[in-house]
Amino acid sequence: MRLSRYFLPVLKEAPSDAQIVSHQLMLRAGMIRQEAAGIYAWLPLGLRVLNKVEQIVREEMDRAGAIELLMPTLQLADLWRESGRYDAYGPEMLRITDRHERELLYGPTNEEMITEIFRGSVKSYKDLPKNLYHVQWKFRDERRPRFGVMRGREFLMKDAYSFDLDEAGARKSYNRMFVAYLNLFARMGLKAVPMRADTGPIGGDLSHEFIVLADTGESAVFCHKDLVEMGAPGPDVDWDGDLQPLVDQRTALYAATEEMHDEAAFNAVAEGDRLSARGIEVGHIFSFGTKYSEPMKALVAGPDGKDHMVQMGSYGVGVSRLLGAIIEASHDEAGIIWPESVAPFDVGIISLRVGDAACDAACEAVYKAVHAAGKTALYDDTDARGGGKFASMDLIGVPWQVIVGPKGIAEGLVEVKNRKTGERQTAPLADAIAGLTAKAAG
Ligand code: 5CA
């Protein structure tokens, strides 16, 4: 992308109502624009990152055996009357009436609809287990939308729903999602700790929140400090095998959100290992048995020939919230430091003299080579001053930057900068291209 043709409305100063750094940086970097309280337009740069985060979530869901579909944002109120949640949900639900006076709602979550889809076609245990998911916009009329995309009213969620014949099967499905979550957050450079959690309006008795520690987080959390550095199992686990040991390894140590906190159990942890901190909830998984299948009559014939209510679970990831969480975890005074896996562009190209034949040719060569390697570059071909170009590229957090100036290029040299370490290296153009395309490909 050539910056001269792009739409990147960066701001020098953060608007005064943005209280936390991720919100300030997303506004300054021209990623989002507030359209109403808790409702944002995703500007081109923000959308690129959102799409990358969404794609990582999708790949890890698919790897764990979940199947993607897409449900609508609008749902019939009558569906929610079947589960009893229409009245229970309260003012967070946006209720809408169409021209026929039919009551609709903008979905805050999809347990009812997926149960309705499931019961319409699955009738036998032979079709189980199943895990269906989608990535779709949700609306919750939060009392206090704040911190930008962290607590929005309209937000993007990945929500998966599992269906099993019995409790043992449901536990396996839960474990698959538990492990998939460890992997997907790690791919975004996040250390997300699973913690025992309250189930709120979703229901059930087994639940974990995945928490990224951050001082600006909305949740108070308590855990054993070893959990933070435990790392993810990686993609090569046996998805059809027994994942319980991996889950046990992470649930044996104390970790709980404020609602589930047990002071006595926490105090049993050695004092030096106790971590009492704040965190951002980036994911939440639930196992709730027959809470929806019972009232909504989602039954399958079992091997015994009898009807069984399916055992269900639901598994949410805050896709749009993740952008805020990643920035909270990875920034400096100059701006965002994107992990390479979610960066809006792999390489930034800064020309210090646009119009100079040698500079233009070198920039074009880098630009072409990066794209030929299957990666993306943002080429600052504007006539802004060097200082401003450096500041913008750092603000938007492009991981690798190549700087082309007339003096250097006269000797065939360019500079390559790593956004994260700040390290700069001068190199012959060809070497820089080879290094950048190899790095970008990594
Ligand atoms: N149906 C279940 C799981 S699919 C569910 O809705 N769970 S949830 O309420 O915990 O939401 C799932 C995830 O969405 C949360 O972990 C959080 O990361 C994200 N989320 C929830 N509310 C908001 C909000 N107002 N703004 C941004 N993200 C949110």
Side-chain angles (χ1 to χ4, degrees), residues 7-50:
F7 183 74
L8 183 67
V10 297
L11 305 173
K12 280 223 167 59
E13 311 263 316
S16 58
D17 55 337
Q19 295 161 26
I20 63 170
V21 72
S22 56
H23 188 195
Q24 291 165 358
L25 287 174
M26 286 182 82
L27 292 169
R28 285 190 52 210
M31 294 177 65
I32 52 170
R33 183 178 172 82
Q34 183 172 318
E35 295 299 330
I39 300 178
Y40 291 86
W42 290 81
L43 303 184
L45 193 80
L47 182 61
R48 290 182 80 97
V49 182
L50 189 68

Side-chain angles (χ1 to χ4, degrees), residues 46-357:
L47 182 61
R48 290 182 80 97
V49 182
L50 189 68
N51 286 340
K52 285 209 162 180
V53 167
E54 181 180 331
Q55 186 55 22
I56 290 178
V57 173
R58 180 173 286 124
E59 284 169 16
E60 296 306 320
M61 284 296 104
D62 294 350
R63 197 195 302 281
I67 308 161
E68 187 172 12
L69 46 57
L70 183 60
M71 292 177 266
T73 53
L74 295 183
Q75 308 185 21
L76 284 174
D78 280 346
L79 197 53
W80 284 64
R81 292 201 169 95
E82 286 190 43
S83 70
R85 277 208 297 183
Y86 188 67
D87 294 324
Y89 217 92
E92 268 196 17
M93 180 183 277
L94 180 63
R95 297 159 208 259
I96 303 161
T97 311
D98 72 9
R99 63 165 77 192
H100 306 294
E101 298 295 316
R102 207 168 289 141
E103 291 170 281
L104 299 164
L105 58 101
Y106 195 117
T109 175
N110 282 62
E111 279 81 5
E112 284 79 359
M113 188 176 282
I114 199 77
T115 306
E116 185 271 330
I117 291 171
F118 176 90
R119 77 178 173 198
S121 50
V122 181
K123 305 289 181 196
S124 163
Y125 76 96
K126 290 181 188 156
D127 295 323
L128 298 181
K130 280 280 175 289
N131 185 324
L132 301 170
Y133 79 97
H134 71 164
V135 184
Q136 179 60 291
W137 294 93
K138 304 288 187 288
F139 193 93
R140 293 182 185 174
D141 206 350
E142 301 274 353
R143 185 192 295 273
R144 283 191 68 195
R146 59 182 183 154
F147 300 159
V149 299
M150 287 282 198
R151 180 164 295 278
R153 293 199 297 164
E154 189 185 51
F155 59 96
L156 190 60
M157 192 200 286
K158 183 285 299 177
D159 37 328
Y161 302 88
S162 66
F163 301 88
D164 283 276
L165 178 65
D166 52 28
E167 282 175 31
R171 184 70 212 218
K172 279 190 181 166
S173 294
Y174 188 86
N175 289 348
R176 267 199 284 274
M177 289 293 105
F178 190 106
V179 172
Y181 275 37
L182 293 171
N183 287 343
L184 72 86
F185 295 127
R187 274 187 67 187
M188 298 169 197
L190 292 173
K191 293 174 186 159
V193 181
M195 304 203 184
R196 284 302 299 239
D198 189 22
T199 58
I202 309 292
D205 48 26
L206 175 61
S207 176
H208 287 91
E209 281 180 17
F210 287 75
I211 301 281
V212 173
L213 300 181
D215 293 339
T216 47
E218 289 195 286
S219 320
V221 295
F222 306 85
C223 71
H224 191 294
K225 74 171 177 31
D226 287 358
L227 285 169
V228 182
E229 301 299 334
M230 203 170 269
D236 297 325
V237 302
D238 177 6
W239 292 101
D240 295 319
D242 185 10
L243 298 174
Q244 194 66 48
L246 281 175
V247 174
D248 289 346
Q249 200 186 1
R250 279 149 182 98
T251 50
L253 297 177
Y254 188 87
T257 60
E258 198 167 18
E259 299 80 27
M260 298 297 278
H261 184 49
D262 173 348
E263 196 69 36
F266 188 52
N267 287 338
V269 177
E271 197 174 350
D273 291 335
R274 274 179 236 156
L275 191 64
S276 151
R278 298 199 71 78
I280 302 163
E281 178 202 326
V282 286
H284 196 165
I285 61 178
F286 306 78
S287 186
F288 42 68
T290 59
K291 177 171 172 183
Y292 300 90
S293 58
E294 186 174 352
M296 295 185 67
K297 302 202 175 44
L299 306 171
V300 291
D304 54 6
K306 293 189 185 128
D307 280 345
H308 296 252
M309 286 179 284
V310 287
Q311 300 281 331
M312 291 176 57
S314 73
Y315 313 89
V317 169
V319 176
S320 48
R321 174 179 287 184
L322 270 168
L323 275 71
I326 293 168
I327 296 172
E328 289 293 326
S330 185
H331 66 269
D332 62 13
E333 321 72 59
I336 303 168
I337 304 174
W338 290 116
E340 293 183 28
S341 59
V342 298
F345 295 95
D346 301 304
V347 175
I349 304 168
I350 293 176
S351 174
L352 294 179
R353 188 155 315 152
V354 174
D356 174 273

Side-chain angles (χ1 to χ4, degrees), residues 423-442:
E423 215 177 300
R424 289 159 171 262
Q425 275 185 345
T426 301
L429 177 63
D431 293 2
I433 289 178
L436 280 168
T437 48
K439 272 169 198 145

Side-chain angles (χ1 to χ4, degrees), residues 371-405:
H371 287 97
K375 299 288 158 173
T376 54
L378 180 64
Y379 171 16
D380 190 342
D381 60 344
T382 66
D383 54 13
R385 297 164 67 98
K389 291 187 175 190
F390 295 142
S392 292
M393 207 58 94
D394 281 353
L395 171 65
I396 67 171
V398 181
W400 292 97
Q401 302 168 16
V402 52
I403 300 144
V404 181

